[in-house]
Amino acid sequence: MKITELLTKHTIKLNIESKEKENVIDEMVTVLDQAGKLNDRAAYKEAILNRESQSSTGIGEGIAIPHAKTASVINPAIAFGRSKEGVDYESLDAQPAHLIFMIAATEGANNTHLEALSRLSTLLMREEIRKQLLEAETEDAIIDIINAHDKDDEEEEENEPQAPSSKGKILAVTACPTGIAHTFMAADALKEKAKELGVDIKVETNGSSGIKHALTAQEIEDAPAIIVAADKQVEMERFKGKHVLEVPVTAGIRRPQELIEKAVNQDAPIYKGNGGGSSAGSEEAESKGKSGGIGNTFYKHLMSGVSNMLPFVVGGGILVAISFFWGINSSKPDDPTYNAFAAALKFIGGDNALALIVAVLAGFIAMSIADRPGLAPGMVGGFMAYQADAGFLGGLIAGFLAGYIVVLLKKVFAGIPQSLDGLKPVLLYPLFGIFLTGIIMRFVINTPVAAFMSFLTNWLESLGTGNLVLMGIILGGMMAIDMGGPLNKAAFTFGIAMIDAGNYAPHAAIMAGGMVPPLGIALATTFFKSKFSKRDREAGVTCYFMGAAFVTEGAIPFAAADPLRVIPASVIGAAVAGGLTEFFRVTLPAPHGGVFVAFITNHPLLYLLSIVIGAVITAVLLGIFKKPVTEQ
């Protein structure tokens, strides 16, 4: 596929009017939207801004390549914008950006599209092409310039003769979160500079279409050093014992000569094989203040456990909720409402799926810390916490305990003969990891943590109405502040922990608060139509269903497009809903399900009333806060 099948006259804007980065992004998104390339303008812009938050796509040399791969793109496309005066795009070389290429890739983009997108990235590394693009006077001239240099030959680099090197072939790996721009630009920059310096190099790219030019075990063994220029996790364990230089992907674009010279001189630390991946580059990670680093690491490991636990919570919770259609006690053989199918659902969802959540939480926390060897000790420790009634807190402790025990074991066994390396993952790590984690959990952790969980449950049950309402306000508001982010997940995890401990009141406030933002926005788009565009009103219909199903993330596109109005309105409505559920003493034993599990609460109508009141408050506030929209 030619690049100009994606970059057309309809997606070119020769004179960008804005001077600020976010306004330029909005202007370029508009170009794609008006060309019919997007089905959700707000969601696509949010994806672009999310990518920018990881690192600026202003790569220097007057170029910026904002890009995103998302379901909000109808057809893969490239938009080109040019600013003669330049835009402050937070570029690596602090120079203004004059050429902006915005790449829109569909979530299911095929290899042909992705290869064309990546070829554009590599073309822009050539100075003569950039100069021609700056001087072009018409859209047709832009198309002609791209066509003149576009070679649809993805294997061309494989056929290039490599420069000889007396010190062996340098290896490199490049990767960025989306894998459609920086990955290939860094690879090209390294190869061009290596050719100029007379250094033999091979670069593995971890792009959206998969790994290309993968490094072989023999090449790794023979290489004097490896450069890993990556902003996402790549397979690192294969480099154990080698000199490895870890940097962000942008360093591969901006500092190729420095990296290659360090690699040739083996001026890089020996990779110890801690089972991790590269996400930001060790040099730069260390240069960022150490304050907050521990908190970020803790959060990353915790979210790994929570995200892997959620499918068990959702699937098991909904099955349990369905079983209640035949009666709250329909799974008990001695109850008059007993139903065999309901009992089967309760057995599958409650006695098995939900019974695994603490073990899964602990296992994947440990795996995030120590890679695959941490999984078994973590799951065993988490299961022991569950059996001892230490609950979620015990599972959290077990996950971190097991993970760092395995990290310690890796250091302890680092000195054993290389011929015995194969025994580590299949014998040494699981044996000693499970043993040490189990001993500590049984004799040190479980008893005091179980006692604390019992105290916490009793304390929550003893709270008066005023304190309960305050707790409900806080939990409900947390669900709406970041809509699926850290605070939302923290509140949700607390609610699951309380269900596990037998206290069903907190989760009623949490689920009610989580449903309010999308439901409130849906109501606002229905009753305050003048405050929303036609596209927003259409998206608002979807929010009815997402809110009803307890999918708070349905509100994110609206919050991203207008955070100063949408987030406060959502938080206020969600906090009111959470406080009302506690005021009415509503309890909810199901961890998921939204309005569809309202009938299993002790006060179904009061629970639904709390949600409706919160959603109406959010809708009214949006109707007041937002300004009328003028349709174009």
Side-chain angles (χ1 to χ4, degrees):
M1 170 177 277
K2 301 285 287 183
I3 292 173
T4 47
E5 292 181 50
L6 304 175
L7 174 67
T8 68
K9 292 172 62 175
H10 301 294
T11 58
I12 293 176
K13 187 169 186 178
L14 292 178
N15 295 298
I16 288 181
E17 300 169 4
S18 306
K19 301 294 187 293
E20 300 298 326
K21 176 179 176 178
E22 186 164 350
N23 293 336
V24 170
I25 288 175
D26 192 65
E27 204 170 323
M28 297 294 290
V29 171
T30 300
V31 171
L32 288 169
D33 192 34
Q34 291 178 345
K37 304 299 183 182
L38 308 177
N39 58 35
D40 190 334
R41 184 186 189 283
Y44 176 71
K45 182 181 177 182
E46 179 197 356
I48 288 287
L49 293 175
N50 284 341
R51 174 62 186 88
E52 292 295 326
S53 69
Q54 298 174 44
S55 62
S56 175
T57 56
I59 61 172
E61 306 292 349
I63 304 170
I65 310 184
H67 53 276
K69 182 180 178 185
T70 167
S72 58
V73 177
I74 300 174
N75 296 307
I78 301 170
F80 170 63
R82 186 176 65 186
S83 171
K84 290 294 182 71
E85 295 182 17
V87 177
D88 182 7
Y89 212 90
E90 303 171 10
S91 299
L92 295 169
D93 57 2
Q95 297 300 312
H98 297 277
L99 305 175
I100 294 95
F101 284 86
M102 180 171 280
I103 297 176
T106 58
E107 203 163 48
N110 59 38
N111 288 354
T112 305
H113 292 142
L114 295 171
E115 286 156 7
L117 296 171
S118 66
R119 284 203 313 281
L120 170 68
S121 305
T122 59
L123 288 181
L124 294 176
M125 297 304 297
R126 296 168 59 180
E127 184 178 357
E128 69 270 21
I129 296 178
R130 298 196 300 269
K131 184 178 179 181
Q132 291 172 16
L133 291 173
L134 280 171
E135 295 173 351
E137 296 183 356
T138 65
E139 290 87 351
D140 287 328
I142 297 291
I143 298 294
D144 291 340
I145 292 167
I146 298 296
N147 277 332
H149 297 281
D150 184 17
K151 295 180 180 180
D152 193 0
D153 184 8
E154 68 180 90
E155 300 300 328
E156 180 182 8
E157 60 187 84
E158 287 293 298
N159 300 325
E160 291 181 2
Q162 297 291 337
S165 175
S166 59
K167 295 192 176 182
K169 179 186 287 187
I170 298 298
L171 302 181
V173 179
T174 62
C176 76
T178 50
I180 59 177
H182 287 58
T183 299
F184 303 97
M185 297 184 77
D188 265 24
L190 288 167
K191 287 185 288 185
E192 287 294 323
K193 186 56 66 174
K195 186 176 181 180
E196 181 183 317
L197 297 174
V199 175
D200 195 358
I201 191 170
K202 178 179 178 180
V203 185
E204 171 187 295
T205 55
N206 286 238
S208 289
S209 57
I211 295 175
K212 295 283 187 70
H213 318 305
L215 306 180
T216 67
Q218 188 61 51
E219 287 172 331
I220 294 171
E221 183 178 345
D222 295 341
I226 296 101
I227 300 166
V228 178
D231 286 340
K232 72 172 185 177
Q233 185 171 350
V234 298
E235 177 55 49
M236 293 292 292
E237 201 65 19
R238 53 186 168 157
F239 303 140
K240 180 181 176 182
K242 305 295 296 185
H243 290 277
V244 177
L245 193 62
E246 294 183 73
V247 295
V249 68
T250 49
I253 299 171
R254 298 298 307 151
R255 295 156 36 205
Q257 181 168 341
E258 175 190 337
L259 300 179
I260 290 169
E261 289 175 348
K262 281 188 174 184
V264 169
N265 297 324
Q266 296 186 320
D267 182 13
I270 299 290
Y271 184 70
K272 301 295 185 180
N274 288 329
S278 173
S279 59
S282 58
E283 290 181 2
E284 282 73 7
E286 290 177 7
S287 68
K288 294 176 182 177
K290 293 186 178 179
S291 62
I294 294 176
N296 290 336
T297 301
F298 176 87
Y299 173 72
K300 184 192 78 169
H301 299 322
L302 174 61
M303 286 301 103
S304 176
V306 170
S307 62
N308 283 285
M309 172 195 75
L310 281 179
F312 294 85
V313 173
V314 175
I318 291 177
L319 287 176
V320 170
I322 294 173
S323 75
F324 292 148
F325 276 116
W326 289 270
I328 296 296
N329 298 314
S330 59
S331 62
K332 298 178 180 179
D334 56 348
D335 193 90
T337 62
Y338 173 75
N339 180 282
F341 184 64
L345 293 176
K346 173 67 166 53
F347 177 73
I348 296 168
D351 298 343
N352 288 276
L354 293 181
L356 287 171
I357 59 179
V358 175
V360 171
L361 173 75
F364 280 93
I365 288 174
M367 186 173 175
S368 177
I369 295 169
D371 206 13
R372 193 174 299 276
L375 180 62
M379 290 199 72
V380 170
F383 189 59
M384 291 178 68
Y386 169 75
Q387 290 184 308
D389 293 325
F392 265 68
L393 181 57
L396 289 175
I397 295 172
F400 283 97
L401 174 68
Y404 287 112
I405 281 177
V406 173
V407 168
L408 179 61
L409 289 174
K410 289 182 177 183
K411 295 180 179 179
V412 169
F413 294 127
I416 69 172
Q418 191 171 358
S419 59
L420 299 178
D421 269 1
L423 291 177
K424 293 180 184 178
V426 298
L427 175 61
L428 299 180
Y429 296 152
L431 173 61
F432 288 98
I434 291 173
F435 170 72
L436 293 174
T437 301
I439 286 291
I440 295 173
M441 289 298 297
R442 181 176 176 84
F443 294 107
V444 179
I445 304 297
N446 279 344
T447 300
V449 173
F452 174 76
M453 291 298 293
S454 177
F455 163 77
L456 180 61
T457 301
N458 293 332
W459 176 71
L460 288 172
E461 290 174 349
S462 69
L463 288 177
T465 300
N467 290 328
L468 281 173
V469 170
L470 178 60
M471 180 183 69
I473 289 172
I474 293 172
L475 291 174
M478 287 175 68
M479 292 299 292
I481 290 176
D482 52 3
M483 304 177 188
L487 291 174
N488 175 286
K489 288 291 190 295
F492 181 76
T493 303
F494 175 75
I496 300 299
M498 289 300 96
I499 289 178
D500 185 56
N503 188 317
Y504 305 133
H507 203 67
I510 289 164
M511 198 179 296
M515 285 187 279
V516 163
L519 288 175
I521 289 169
L523 288 172
T525 59
T526 300
F527 293 102
F528 301 99
K529 294 182 178 181
S530 65
K531 304 296 182 76
F532 297 90
S533 67
K534 181 181 178 182
R535 187 182 297 275
D536 286 342
R537 295 196 297 271
E538 292 171 351
V541 175
T542 305
C543 283
Y544 278 113
F545 299 97
M546 299 187 79
F550 184 43
V551 182
T552 315
E553 288 83 350
I556 287 178
F558 293 87
D562 191 4
L564 294 180
R565 295 179 178 88
V566 173
I567 291 177
S570 298
V571 171
I572 292 170
V576 169
L580 285 174
T581 62
E582 295 305 308
F583 178 78
F584 294 137
R585 298 279 182 159
V586 177
T587 58
L588 177 63
H592 214 286
V595 298
F596 305 105
V597 295
F599 70 94
I600 68 172
T601 66
N602 57 337
H603 301 300
L605 294 179
L606 291 176
Y607 180 58
L608 292 173
L609 178 64
S610 302
I611 297 167
V612 170
I613 291 174
V616 168
I617 289 174
T618 293
V620 171
L621 289 174
L622 287 174
I624 296 171
F625 292 162
K626 289 185 72 67
K627 297 178 181 179
V629 172
T630 302
E631 294 282 2
Q632 296 183 355

